Amino acid sequence: MTENLEIKKKLVHRWFVHLQNEICKQLISLEKNKKFTLNSWKKSNKNNEGGGKSFIFTNGKIFDKIGINQSTVSGKFKKEFRSKIPGADKDGRYWASGISIVAHMKNPKMPALHFNTRFISTSQSWFGGGIDATPSYKDHKEKLMIHKKLKLICNQNKKNYTKYKNLCEKYFYLPHYNEQRGIGGIFFDYEKNNWKNNFKFVRDLGIGFLDITKSIINKKKLLKWNNRDKKKQFIKRGRYVEFNLLYDRGTKFGLNSGGNTEAILMSLPPKPQWRIKNE
Amino acid sequence: MTENLEIKKKLVHRWFVHLQNEICKQLISLEKNKKFTLNSWKKSNKNNEGGGKSFIFTNGKIFDKIGINQSTVSGKFKKEFRSKIPGADKDGRYWASGISIVAHMKNPKMPALHFNTRFISTSQSWFGGGIDATPSYKDHKEKLMIHKKLKLICNQNKKNYTKYKNLCEKYFYLPHYNEQRGIGGIFFDYEKNNWKNNFKFVRDLGIGFLDITKSIINKKKLLKWNNRDKKKQFIKRGRYVEFNLLYDRGTKFGLNSGGNTEAILMSLPPKPQWRIKNE
C-alpha cells in the first residue's frame, strides 16, 4: 500500500512537470519575444522538502502576464493547521504536488484564465483543482463554450459537473460586493475514491485548459480594443487582487505555511485599479 | 453617567467632522484643480444607525490619491465578534466614530501617509488610532522629523511614545517578507482611562498629522523625480495593497461587519505593481 502510494506520487509529480513544460512551450510560442523569467526555488536548505519552478512571462503581445507554477513539497503541518486538513490530526506529515496557472491577457476582450490541479497526501490522499475565467468584457458565447467544454470533460470522467460548477461559484465570490469574481467554471476538492479515474480526470483537465486557452486566443487575438476597454480590465483586476488577498484559501495557506512568496503572489494581475465613484 | 457618555460621544463626533472639513480645506487647497468626489452614505435605511462621508481626490499635482473618511455609526455586533471586543460579550450594542485618512503622493520622494483616530463605546469605551508613513524613497532626516513630532505630542499628553512606536512596528508588518510596511509611527488602542486627556491627545494628533503632511509637501513638492523613482513607488504600493487586504484588522472588520465597501477600500493606492524577479 505504501509502496503503491509512492508510485502514485511519482506519477502525479511527473505529470505536473510534463504539463508545465507543455503549457510553457505551447503558450509562450504564441509570443514573438519569448524571454521569460524562471524562478526555481527550494522549500528549505536543511531537509529535502522539495521545491518548485515558476515561469513568469510579462508584457507580451498576447499576455500582459502569465505565471506557470509547479511545485512538489513535503513537510509537517503546524499544530494549529492539522485539525483543518483531512488525515492530518494525528500525524502532521504531508506531501503535496500541484500545478497552477494564471493568465492575464493584453487584449481586454479576453478573460483572465486560472487553472490549478493538485494531489495531496497525509494519512489520506486526494486530488483537488479547478478551472475558471474572469472576463471584464461580457461574451455569452464564450461563457457557453468554456462551460460546455468543462461539462464534457466531467461527463467523460463520470464527474458531477453541476456540483463542481456550484462549488466554483461559491468559492470565487466577493461578499462585500455580492458578486462573482468571474463567470465561474469548475472547482473540486477532496476527491479520494478511485485514484486512477481521478488522475485521468486531472490529466484531461490540464489538456482541456490548454485547449480552452488556445481557442480563446485564436478567436480573439485580432479583436480591436480601446482605452475604455483596458480601463475596465484594470478595474476588474482590482477585484481580482481583492479576492486573492482577502479570501483565497491557497494564498493564505501558502503565506502562513512559509511557501515561496513570489510564486504564491504570481497570481496577482499587473496594473490593477480601483474605480472612484463619479470619476 | 450615561448622560455624560452621550455628551462625550457628541463632542468626539463633532471634533472628527470638524477635523475632516479642516483637513479637506487645507490639503485640497494645495491643488490647482480642486474637484473632489464626495461619497455620503448611510449604514442602513431601516434604522438610524448613522453613516459617513468620504472625500476622495485623485490625479492631482500633489496627490495621486487622497481619501478623507469620517463615519459615526451604531448597531449590534454579530455574536461571533462579541468575544473579541472589550465590553461586548454580554451586550453586543456599540457606537463608533472615527476619522481616517490615506494620502498617496504623486511625487515618489514623498511617503504615503496614514492617519486614523476613533472612539468606540460598548459597555466600555475607549480611544484608538495612529499615524504612520510609508516611503518608497529613503529619507533619514524625514523619518527623524516625523518621529520627533510624534514623540513631542505623546510627551505633551503624558503618553508612552516608545510603547506606541513599538505597537506600530508590530502592526504594520508583512510576515511573508519579514519587513515593515513603512518607517513606522505610532499606534494605540483601548485607551480607556482619563477621557479628557485622551480626547486632547487625539485632537493634538489630528493637528499633528496636518502639520507633518504640510511640512513634507512644502519641503518636497519641487523635488525632481524620474520614471525609476515612480516604478519604485508603484512596487511599494503593491506591498501596501498586500498589507491592507491580507492583514489590516480595520479592513477585515469593516468588510465583515457590512460597512461601506468603497469607503473601506479607499485606502488602496492607485496603480500598485508587483515586481518580477530579473525584470
Side-chain angles (χ1 to χ4, degrees):
Chain A
M1 181 62 190
T2 315
E3 203 179 301
N4 194 5
L5 182 63
E6 291 310 312
I7 294 171
K8 287 174 182 172
K9 287 180 187 174
K10 208 170 268 179
L11 287 170
V12 167
H13 166 73
R14 275 191 199 153
W15 164 252
F16 288 147
V17 169
H18 167 74
L19 183 64
Q20 182 186 36
N21 288 328
E22 198 55 32
I23 290 177
C24 281
K25 214 170 66 187
Q26 294 203 30
L27 293 187
I28 296 178
S29 81
L30 302 174
E31 296 280 1
K32 213 171 176 182
N33 170 9
K34 290 168 179 52
K35 218 180 109 193
F36 56 80
T37 297
L38 171 59
N39 174 22
S40 187
W41 57 276
K42 280 195 172 183
K43 197 179 155 221
S44 65
N45 287 319
K46 288 177 219 157
N47 313 306
N48 185 14
E49 294 192 314
K53 277 186 185 177
S54 300
F55 291 88
I56 305 183
F57 178 87
T58 52
N59 299 318
K61 282 176 73 178
I62 304 285
F63 302 106
D64 268 352
K65 180 180 179 188
I66 179 168
I68 304 168
N69 248 343
Q70 197 285 320
S71 67
T72 302
V73 294
S74 58
K76 217 168 175 173
F77 285 122
K78 282 182 196 161
K79 284 202 172 138
E80 58 266 38
F81 275 126
R82 292 186 191 171
S83 64
K84 291 174 194 160
I85 314 259
D89 41 351
K90 279 174 195 157
D91 182 347
R93 284 176 300 170
Y94 71 93
W95 180 95
S97 185
I99 181 168
S100 140
I101 297 170
V102 181
H104 294 288
M105 307 303 200
K106 174 154 184 150
N107 191 324
K109 296 198 172 166
M110 296 187 200
L113 293 168
H114 169 236
F115 159 68
N116 161 252
T117 43
R118 56 194 177 265
F119 180 59
I120 295 177
S121 160
T122 58
S123 70
Q124 302 172 22
S125 64
W126 65 91
F127 284 97
I131 293 181
D132 70 284
T134 308
S136 54
Y137 182 88
K138 258 198 184 164
D139 184 340
H140 188 62
K141 260 192 184 168
E142 181 179 82
K143 182 178 170 180
L144 285 181
M145 180 278 283
I146 294 170
H147 277 277
K148 201 176 151 190
K149 177 89 188 166
L150 294 174
K151 190 175 180 180
L152 182 70
I153 297 171
C154 287
N155 289 345
Q156 283 170 342
N157 290 281
K158 296 188 182 104
K159 297 293 183 184
N160 189 335
Y161 160 75
T162 308
K163 181 183 153 196
Y164 291 173
K165 176 180 173 283
N166 292 339
L167 277 175
C168 185
E169 276 169 22
K170 207 176 152 190
Y171 187 78
F172 293 104
Y173 174 68
L174 289 147
H176 54 290
Y177 298 116
N178 186 25
E179 74 178 25
Q180 305 296 320
R181 185 176 79 171
I183 52 146
I186 59 168
F187 182 93
F188 61 100
D189 210 352
Y190 311 120
E191 289 290 329
K192 291 177 194 167
N193 302 322
N194 200 342
W195 185 87
K196 213 172 146 183
N197 181 52
N198 288 337
F199 185 34
K200 183 176 166 290
F201 175 56
V202 157
R203 293 200 308 276
D204 287 353
L205 274 183
I207 304 299
F209 170 75
L210 197 48
D211 286 350
I212 289 171
T213 305
K214 288 198 295 187
S215 143
I216 290 172
I217 291 171
N218 281 330
K219 213 166 278 171
K220 291 189 156 173
K221 65 183 172 191
L222 298 176
L223 273 191
K224 291 218 176 343
W225 52 270
N226 58 32
N227 285 344
R228 250 185 89 220
D229 300 324
K230 199 67 188 167
K231 171 94 182 174
K232 255 181 91 179
Q233 187 192 37
F234 288 151
I235 299 283
K236 194 71 184 171
R237 287 180 182 172
R239 306 257 155 136
Y240 208 95
V241 169
E242 286 178 41
F243 178 83
N244 284 24
L245 298 181
L246 284 169
Y247 302 113
D248 187 53
R249 291 201 295 255
T251 303
K252 276 204 191 351
F253 176 79
L255 295 177
N256 285 333
S257 63
N260 185 273
T261 297
E262 198 187 342
I264 296 163
L265 296 180
M266 171 210 79
S267 62
L268 295 178
K271 300 188 182 168
Q273 286 185 17
W274 282 269
R275 197 198 314 266
I276 312 292
K277 214 177 168 180
N278 307 329
E279 199 188 36
Chain B
M1 181 64 191
T2 316
E3 202 179 301
N4 194 4
L5 181 63
E6 291 310 311
I7 294 171
K8 287 175 182 172
K9 287 180 186 174
K10 207 168 270 179
L11 287 170
V12 167
H13 166 74
R14 276 191 199 153
W15 164 252
F16 289 147
V17 169
H18 167 73
L19 183 64
Q20 181 186 37
N21 288 327
E22 199 54 34
I23 290 177
C24 282
K25 214 171 65 188
Q26 294 202 30
L27 293 187
I28 296 178
S29 80
L30 302 175
E31 296 281 2
K32 213 172 175 182
N33 170 9
K34 291 168 179 53
K35 218 180 110 192
F36 56 82
T37 296
L38 170 60
N39 174 22
S40 187
W41 57 276
K42 281 196 171 182
K43 196 179 155 222
S44 64
N45 286 319
K46 289 176 219 156
N47 312 305
N48 185 14
E49 294 192 315
K53 277 186 185 176
S54 299
F55 291 88
I56 306 184
F57 178 88
T58 53
N59 299 317
K61 282 177 73 177
I62 304 286
F63 302 106
D64 268 352
K65 180 180 179 189
I66 178 168
I68 305 167
N69 248 342
Q70 196 285 320
S71 68
T72 302
V73 294
S74 59
K76 218 168 174 173
F77 285 121
K78 281 182 198 164
K79 284 200 173 141
E80 58 267 37
F81 275 126
R82 293 185 190 173
S83 64
K84 291 174 194 160
I85 314 260
D89 41 351
K90 279 175 195 158
D91 182 346
R93 285 176 301 170
Y94 71 92
W95 180 96
S97 185
I99 181 167
S100 140
I101 297 170
V102 180
H104 294 287
M105 307 304 199
K106 173 155 186 152
N107 191 323
K109 297 199 171 166
M110 296 187 200
L113 293 168
H114 168 234
F115 160 69
N116 162 251
T117 44
R118 56 193 177 266
F119 181 61
I120 295 176
S121 160
T122 58
S123 69
Q124 302 172 20
S125 65
W126 64 90
F127 285 96
I131 293 181
D132 70 284
T134 308
S136 54
Y137 181 87
K138 258 198 184 165
D139 184 340
H140 189 62
K141 260 191 183 169
E142 181 180 82
K143 182 178 172 181
L144 285 180
M145 179 279 283
I146 294 170
H147 276 277
K148 200 176 150 190
K149 177 88 186 167
L150 295 174
K151 190 175 181 181
L152 182 71
I153 298 171
C154 287
N155 289 345
Q156 284 170 341
N157 290 281
K158 295 187 183 105
K159 295 294 183 184
N160 189 336
Y161 159 75
T162 308
K163 180 182 154 197
Y164 290 173
K165 176 180 172 282
N166 291 339
L167 277 174
C168 185
E169 276 169 21
K170 206 176 151 190
Y171 186 78
F172 293 104
Y173 174 68
L174 289 147
H176 54 289
Y177 298 114
N178 186 25
E179 72 178 29
Q180 304 296 321
R181 186 176 79 171
I183 52 145
I186 60 169
F187 183 94
F188 61 98
D189 210 352
Y190 311 121
E191 289 289 329
K192 290 177 192 168
N193 301 323
N194 198 343
W195 184 87
K196 215 174 146 181
N197 181 51
N198 288 338
F199 185 35
K200 184 178 165 289
F201 174 56
V202 157
R203 293 201 307 277
D204 287 354
L205 273 183
I207 304 300
F209 170 75
L210 197 47
D211 286 350
I212 288 171
T213 305
K214 288 198 294 185
S215 144
I216 290 172
I217 291 171
N218 280 329
K219 214 166 279 170
K220 291 189 156 172
K221 65 182 171 190
L222 298 177
L223 273 191
K224 293 219 175 343
W225 53 269
N226 58 32
N227 285 344
R228 251 186 88 219
D229 300 324
K230 199 66 188 168
K231 172 94 181 173
K232 256 180 90 178
Q233 187 192 38
F234 289 151
I235 299 284
K236 193 70 184 170
R237 286 180 182 173
R239 307 256 155 137
Y240 208 95
V241 169
E242 286 178 42
F243 178 83
N244 284 23
L245 298 180
L246 284 168
Y247 302 112
D248 188 54
R249 290 201 296 256
T251 303
K252 275 203 190 352
F253 175 80
L255 295 177
N256 285 332
S257 64
N260 185 271
T261 297
E262 198 188 343
I264 295 163
L265 297 180
M266 170 209 80
S267 63
L268 296 179
K271 298 186 184 168
Q273 286 185 16
W274 282 269
R275 197 198 314 265
I276 313 291
K277 215 177 170 180
N278 308 329
E279 200 189 35

